[in-house]
Amino acid sequence: MPGTILVGSQWGDEGKGKATDLLADKMDVVVRYQGGNNAGHTVIVEGRTFKLHLVPSGILYPHVTPVIGDGMVVDPGTLLAELAALDAQGIATGKLLISANAHLIMPWHKELDKLTERWLGRQRIGTTGRGIGPTYADKVGRLGIRVQDLLDPGILAKKVEAVLRERNPLLAKVYNRLPLDAEAIVEEYATYAEALRPRIADTSLYVWNALREGKQVLFEGAQATLLDVDHGTYPFVTSSSPVAGGALSGAGVGPGWIERVMGIAKAYVTRVGAGPFPTEAAEDEAEALRAAGDEFGTTTGRPRRCGWLDTVGLRYAARVNGLTELFVTKLDVLSRLERIPVAVAYRVHGEVTEDWPMTQTEIHHAEPVYEQFEGWREDISGVTRLEDLPRAARVYVDAVEKLGGVPVTAVGVGPGREQTLLRGIGEE
Ligand code: GDP
Ligand code: IMO
Ligand code: MG
C-alpha cells in the first residue's frame, strides 16, 4: 500500500512542511487535501527558505507531482502569485495539478471572514483572515463556487450574481459595507481561469491511477488535529478536516491505500489565535521558547503562544488519526533548559484523567499534571545520529514515545532538511 498521510498532532506549525520535504524525496505524488492559504509551511533547503501556503511542499523536488486536492479551498490570485514566486526562485511548477472540485475563495469570503471576527469582538477566533471559514460554510451550504466553474464563463457569472444577490444586502444592511460588483469579480476570475485552465484536473482519478501503478503518494495535512472542525477545540478551530480521515475524503481515495499515518509533533507546543491551551507556559517561559524556536506565524507573522508538551493531546491525536509513527520536531529548541515539564494528565474539576476531555468546558478547566524531565546543556543542532544525543535528550524522546503510545521514527534538531535524526521502528 503506497499511501502515507502526514498530519499535525497539535495546533499547527509542527513542522509539516519540513517533514513533507524530507519524505517527498521518495514520493511520486504529494497531495494537499484540505485547508487553503491559512497554512504556512516552511522548508529550508541548503540555506534557502521557501514558505508555501497553497502549493504542496513536494514541489521542491522536480520528480514529484504536487496536487491541490478536492477538499481544499483555493484563492486563485494568491495561488498564481505563489507560483510566480516559486518560478522566480528557480523551482519548476509546471506539474502542479488542481482539483476541479476544490472550492474557490471569493472576495466576499475574505471580507466576511474579517467582518465576522470584528463582530465577535472578544470572542473572536483569531482566524488568518484568508476567507477560509466563509468558503467552507458556503461549500456545505451549497452556495460555493468551484474551480471547475472557471471553465465555463456563463456558469461562473450566473453563480456569482446569484450569491451576491444574497450577500450584498448582508454586507450593506448588517455590516454597513459597500456592495460588491459581480461584473468586476467575474472579469477578475476570468483572468485566473485563463492562467489555471491547463492545470485543472480530475485529481482523484490521477491519484488513484498513481496508487494502482504502485507509485508513492504522500497526503500532506495542513493545520492539525486540535484545529479539526470535528475533533479540535471547537469553535476555536479551522473549518476543514485535517485529521487522517479528512485525507481520504479530501483527496478522494479509499482507506485501503493507506499504509502509514505519520503524526508531526513539536517537542513542546504552540498555538496561534484564540482558544484553550492547557499547557500554555507563563509569559517569561513562553517568551524564552518563542525566542529560541522563532515562533512567529509563517502566514500572519503573529507571535505564537508557547507551552509544554501535552501528552494528553498527543494520545488523543494518536487515537483520532490512527498514527503509526511520530516525527518529533524542534528538540533543539529545548536545549539549555534546566527542567522540561511534560503534561502526562489533566486535572479537571478535581479528577485526574489521562484522556482528552469530552466537553469544551472541561478542556477550558483542564489543569495539566506535569512530570519534570531533566534538561541538557549541549547544542544538539549538529548531531547526526540519535545515539549521539545527550542522555537527557534521549530520555526525553523515549518518554514522548512511551507517553504518546506511538513509535518515534524521526527527531528534528534544526530547520534544515539534513537536521533530522532517523530511527527505524523498534530499534534505537
Ligand atoms: P508547518 O506549518 O507545520 O509546516 O510548520 P511551520 O513551517 O509553520 O513552522 C515550523 C517552523 O519550525 C519553521 O520555521 C521550520 O523551519 C522550523 N523547524 C522545523 N523543524 C525544526 C527543527 O527540528 N528545529 C528547529 N529549530 N526548527 C524547525
Ligand atoms: P499550518 O498548516 C497554525 C488557526 C488560526 C485560527 C484558526 C482558524 O501552517 O500548521 P482560519 O483562518 O483557518 O479560519 O483560522 O486556525 N490556523 C492555524 N494555526 N497553523 C496553521 O496552519 C493554521 N491555519 C489556521 O490561527 O486560530
Ligand atoms: Mg505553519
Short mmCIF file of all heavy atoms in Angstrom, two decimals, residues 11-14 16 38-41 113 125-130 132-133 221-224 227 236-239 271-274 298-299 302, ligand 2:
data_model
loop_
_atom_site.label_atom_id
_atom_site.label_comp_id
_atom_site.label_asym_id
_atom_site.label_seq_id
_atom_site.Cartn_x
_atom_site.Cartn_y
_atom_site.Cartn_z
N TRP A 11 -1.63 22.07 17.46
CA TRP A 11 -2.45 23.15 16.91
C TRP A 11 -1.79 23.78 15.69
O TRP A 11 -1.96 24.97 15.42
CB TRP A 11 -2.71 24.22 17.97
CG TRP A 11 -3.81 23.89 18.92
CD1 TRP A 11 -5.14 23.91 18.66
CD2 TRP A 11 -3.68 23.52 20.30
NE1 TRP A 11 -5.86 23.56 19.79
CE2 TRP A 11 -4.98 23.32 20.80
CE3 TRP A 11 -2.59 23.32 21.15
CZ2 TRP A 11 -5.22 22.95 22.13
CZ3 TRP A 11 -2.83 22.95 22.46
CH2 TRP A 11 -4.13 22.77 22.93
N GLY A 12 -1.03 23.02 14.94
CA GLY A 12 -0.42 23.54 13.72
C GLY A 12 1.02 23.97 13.92
O GLY A 12 1.53 24.02 15.04
N ASP A 13 1.69 24.22 12.79
CA ASP A 13 3.07 24.70 12.78
C ASP A 13 4.04 23.73 13.45
O ASP A 13 5.05 24.13 14.03
CB ASP A 13 3.17 26.08 13.44
CG ASP A 13 2.25 27.08 12.77
OD1 ASP A 13 2.10 26.99 11.54
OD2 ASP A 13 1.69 27.93 13.48
N GLU A 14 3.77 22.45 13.36
CA GLU A 14 4.63 21.44 13.99
C GLU A 14 5.88 21.18 13.16
O GLU A 14 6.82 20.54 13.66
CB GLU A 14 3.86 20.11 14.14
CG GLU A 14 2.64 20.16 15.05
CD GLU A 14 1.37 20.50 14.28
OE1 GLU A 14 1.47 20.94 13.11
OE2 GLU A 14 0.28 20.36 14.86
N LYS A 16 5.29 20.48 9.50
CA LYS A 16 4.77 19.58 8.45
C LYS A 16 5.48 19.83 7.12
O LYS A 16 5.70 18.90 6.36
CB LYS A 16 3.25 19.79 8.29
CG LYS A 16 2.47 19.40 9.54
CD LYS A 16 0.99 19.69 9.39
CE LYS A 16 0.66 21.15 9.28
NZ LYS A 16 0.92 21.95 10.49
N ASN A 38 -4.46 29.59 4.56
CA ASN A 38 -4.27 29.80 6.01
C ASN A 38 -3.02 29.06 6.46
O ASN A 38 -2.40 29.40 7.47
CB ASN A 38 -5.50 29.34 6.81
CG ASN A 38 -6.02 27.96 6.41
OD1 ASN A 38 -5.62 27.40 5.40
ND2 ASN A 38 -6.91 27.41 7.21
N ALA A 39 -2.62 28.03 5.72
CA ALA A 39 -1.42 27.26 6.05
C ALA A 39 -0.16 28.04 5.69
O ALA A 39 -0.16 28.85 4.77
CB ALA A 39 -1.42 25.95 5.27
N GLY A 40 0.90 27.79 6.44
CA GLY A 40 2.20 28.32 6.10
C GLY A 40 3.23 27.25 6.41
O GLY A 40 3.46 26.93 7.57
N HIS A 41 3.76 26.64 5.37
CA HIS A 41 4.69 25.52 5.56
C HIS A 41 6.09 25.96 5.12
O HIS A 41 6.30 26.30 3.95
CB HIS A 41 4.23 24.29 4.78
CG HIS A 41 2.93 23.73 5.28
ND1 HIS A 41 2.36 22.58 4.79
CD2 HIS A 41 2.10 24.15 6.26
CE1 HIS A 41 1.23 22.34 5.44
NE2 HIS A 41 1.05 23.28 6.33
N ASP A 113 -14.93 37.05 6.44
CA ASP A 113 -14.04 36.49 7.47
C ASP A 113 -13.61 37.61 8.42
O ASP A 113 -13.74 37.50 9.66
CB ASP A 113 -12.81 35.86 6.78
CG ASP A 113 -11.97 35.01 7.72
OD1 ASP A 113 -12.31 34.92 8.92
OD2 ASP A 113 -10.95 34.43 7.25
N ILE A 125 -12.16 34.25 16.92
CA ILE A 125 -11.38 33.02 16.80
C ILE A 125 -9.89 33.36 16.63
O ILE A 125 -9.03 32.59 17.01
CB ILE A 125 -11.83 32.21 15.55
CG1 ILE A 125 -13.36 32.03 15.50
CG2 ILE A 125 -11.12 30.87 15.44
CD1 ILE A 125 -13.95 31.13 16.52
N GLY A 126 -9.64 34.53 16.04
CA GLY A 126 -8.24 34.83 15.68
C GLY A 126 -7.88 34.11 14.38
O GLY A 126 -6.81 33.51 14.27
N THR A 127 -8.78 34.18 13.39
CA THR A 127 -8.52 33.50 12.11
C THR A 127 -7.37 34.17 11.38
O THR A 127 -6.94 35.27 11.75
CB THR A 127 -9.75 33.52 11.18
OG1 THR A 127 -9.92 34.84 10.67
CG2 THR A 127 -11.01 33.06 11.89
N THR A 128 -6.94 33.53 10.30
CA THR A 128 -5.88 34.12 9.49
C THR A 128 -6.45 35.19 8.54
O THR A 128 -5.67 35.83 7.83
CB THR A 128 -5.17 33.03 8.66
OG1 THR A 128 -6.15 32.41 7.82
CG2 THR A 128 -4.53 31.98 9.54
N GLY A 129 -7.76 35.34 8.49
CA GLY A 129 -8.37 36.38 7.66
C GLY A 129 -8.30 36.08 6.17
O GLY A 129 -8.45 36.99 5.35
N ARG A 130 -8.11 34.82 5.82
CA ARG A 130 -7.97 34.49 4.40
C ARG A 130 -9.28 34.04 3.75
O ARG A 130 -9.29 33.58 2.62
CB ARG A 130 -6.92 33.36 4.24
CG ARG A 130 -5.54 33.69 4.78
CD ARG A 130 -4.94 34.89 4.04
NE ARG A 130 -3.53 35.06 4.32
CZ ARG A 130 -3.01 35.87 5.24
NH1 ARG A 130 -3.80 36.59 6.02
NH2 ARG A 130 -1.70 35.98 5.39
N ILE A 132 -11.22 31.52 4.85
CA ILE A 132 -11.35 30.05 4.91
C ILE A 132 -12.73 29.62 5.44
O ILE A 132 -13.42 28.81 4.79
CB ILE A 132 -10.23 29.46 5.80
CG1 ILE A 132 -8.84 29.91 5.36
CG2 ILE A 132 -10.35 27.94 5.90
CD1 ILE A 132 -8.41 29.49 4.00
N GLY A 133 -13.11 30.13 6.60
CA GLY A 133 -14.38 29.72 7.22
C GLY A 133 -15.57 30.00 6.32
O GLY A 133 -16.37 29.09 6.03
N GLY A 221 -1.02 17.02 5.27
CA GLY A 221 -2.02 17.76 6.03
C GLY A 221 -1.58 19.19 6.25
O GLY A 221 -0.40 19.50 6.34
N ALA A 222 -2.56 20.07 6.36
CA ALA A 222 -2.31 21.43 6.84
C ALA A 222 -3.10 21.57 8.15
O ALA A 222 -3.90 20.69 8.49
CB ALA A 222 -2.78 22.46 5.83
N GLN A 223 -2.84 22.66 8.88
CA GLN A 223 -3.43 22.82 10.22
C GLN A 223 -3.13 21.55 11.04
O GLN A 223 -2.09 20.95 10.84
CB GLN A 223 -4.93 23.16 10.15
CG GLN A 223 -5.20 24.56 9.62
CD GLN A 223 -5.11 24.66 8.10
OE1 GLN A 223 -5.74 23.88 7.38
NE2 GLN A 223 -4.36 25.60 7.60
N ALA A 224 -4.08 21.11 11.85
CA ALA A 224 -3.71 19.99 12.71
C ALA A 224 -4.93 19.42 13.43
O ALA A 224 -6.03 19.98 13.35
CB ALA A 224 -2.70 20.47 13.75
N LEU A 227 -7.09 21.54 15.61
CA LEU A 227 -7.79 22.59 14.86
C LEU A 227 -8.85 21.98 13.95
O LEU A 227 -9.48 22.69 13.16
CB LEU A 227 -6.79 23.40 14.01
CG LEU A 227 -5.85 24.37 14.74
CD1 LEU A 227 -4.81 24.93 13.77
CD2 LEU A 227 -6.62 25.51 15.39
N PHE A 236 -12.83 27.11 18.42
CA PHE A 236 -11.51 27.69 18.11
C PHE A 236 -10.73 26.70 17.23
O PHE A 236 -9.75 26.08 17.66
CB PHE A 236 -10.77 28.02 19.41
CG PHE A 236 -11.53 29.01 20.25
CD1 PHE A 236 -12.30 28.58 21.33
CD2 PHE A 236 -11.54 30.36 19.93
CE1 PHE A 236 -13.02 29.48 22.08
CE2 PHE A 236 -12.26 31.27 20.67
CZ PHE A 236 -13.02 30.83 21.75
N VAL A 237 -11.21 26.56 16.02
CA VAL A 237 -10.67 25.57 15.08
C VAL A 237 -10.67 26.20 13.69
O VAL A 237 -11.18 27.30 13.50
CB VAL A 237 -11.56 24.30 15.05
CG1 VAL A 237 -11.48 23.55 16.37
CG2 VAL A 237 -13.02 24.63 14.71
N THR A 238 -10.15 25.48 12.73
CA THR A 238 -10.31 25.89 11.35
C THR A 238 -11.57 25.19 10.82
O THR A 238 -12.23 24.45 11.57
CB THR A 238 -9.05 25.60 10.52
OG1 THR A 238 -9.17 26.25 9.25
CG2 THR A 238 -8.84 24.10 10.31
N SER A 239 -11.91 25.40 9.55
CA SER A 239 -13.21 24.91 9.09
C SER A 239 -13.11 23.66 8.23
O SER A 239 -14.06 23.31 7.52
CB SER A 239 -13.92 26.03 8.32
OG SER A 239 -14.10 27.13 9.16
N ARG A 271 0.50 27.55 19.72
CA ARG A 271 -0.83 27.78 19.17
C ARG A 271 -0.90 29.24 18.69
O ARG A 271 -0.39 30.12 19.40
CB ARG A 271 -1.85 27.51 20.29
CG ARG A 271 -3.25 27.93 19.98
CD ARG A 271 -4.35 27.30 20.79
NE ARG A 271 -5.48 27.29 19.85
CZ ARG A 271 -6.66 26.73 20.06
NH1 ARG A 271 -6.90 26.11 21.18
NH2 ARG A 271 -7.58 26.78 19.14
N VAL A 272 -1.49 29.48 17.54
CA VAL A 272 -1.73 30.85 17.08
C VAL A 272 -3.24 31.07 17.13
O VAL A 272 -3.99 30.19 16.76
CB VAL A 272 -1.31 31.08 15.61
CG1 VAL A 272 -0.98 32.54 15.37
CG2 VAL A 272 -0.16 30.21 15.21
N GLY A 273 -3.65 32.25 17.54
CA GLY A 273 -5.08 32.52 17.61
C GLY A 273 -5.63 32.15 18.98
O GLY A 273 -4.89 31.67 19.86
N ALA A 274 -6.94 32.37 19.14
CA ALA A 274 -7.56 32.20 20.46
C ALA A 274 -7.93 30.75 20.71
O ALA A 274 -7.85 29.90 19.82
CB ALA A 274 -8.80 33.08 20.53
N THR A 298 4.03 31.83 10.12
CA THR A 298 4.53 31.86 8.75
C THR A 298 3.59 32.65 7.85
O THR A 298 4.01 33.28 6.88
CB THR A 298 4.65 30.41 8.21
OG1 THR A 298 5.33 29.63 9.19
CG2 THR A 298 5.40 30.34 6.91
N THR A 299 2.29 32.61 8.16
CA THR A 299 1.30 33.25 7.30
C THR A 299 1.00 34.68 7.75
O THR A 299 0.95 35.59 6.95
CB THR A 299 0.00 32.41 7.29
OG1 THR A 299 0.33 31.15 6.73
CG2 THR A 299 -1.10 33.05 6.46
N ARG A 302 2.09 36.60 13.31
CA ARG A 302 1.70 36.79 14.71
C ARG A 302 2.61 35.97 15.64
O ARG A 302 3.01 34.86 15.28
CB ARG A 302 0.26 36.29 14.93
CG ARG A 302 -0.79 37.16 14.30
CD ARG A 302 -2.18 36.60 14.52
NE ARG A 302 -2.43 35.39 13.75
CZ ARG A 302 -3.56 34.70 13.79
NH1 ARG A 302 -4.54 35.08 14.58
NH2 ARG A 302 -3.71 33.62 13.05
P1 IMO B 2 -0.27 25.26 9.30
O1 IMO B 2 -0.69 24.37 8.15
C1 IMO B 2 -1.47 27.30 12.94
C2 IMO B 2 -5.59 28.81 13.12
C3 IMO B 2 -5.79 30.31 13.16
C4 IMO B 2 -7.06 30.37 13.98
C5 IMO B 2 -7.84 29.15 13.49
C6 IMO B 2 -8.87 29.47 12.42
O2 IMO B 2 0.79 26.23 8.94
O3 IMO B 2 0.02 24.47 10.52
P2 IMO B 2 -8.68 30.03 9.82
O4 IMO B 2 -8.02 31.16 9.11
O5 IMO B 2 -8.20 28.68 9.42
O6 IMO B 2 -10.19 30.12 9.78
O7 IMO B 2 -8.28 30.24 11.37
O8 IMO B 2 -6.88 28.26 12.98
N1 IMO B 2 -4.76 28.31 11.99
C7 IMO B 2 -3.51 27.87 12.10
N2 IMO B 2 -2.68 27.84 13.17
N3 IMO B 2 -1.06 26.80 11.78
C8 IMO B 2 -1.88 26.80 10.70
O9 IMO B 2 -1.58 26.18 9.55
C9 IMO B 2 -3.15 27.39 10.83
N4 IMO B 2 -4.19 27.58 9.98
C10 IMO B 2 -5.17 28.13 10.71
O10 IMO B 2 -4.71 30.95 13.79
O11 IMO B 2 -6.77 30.16 15.35
#
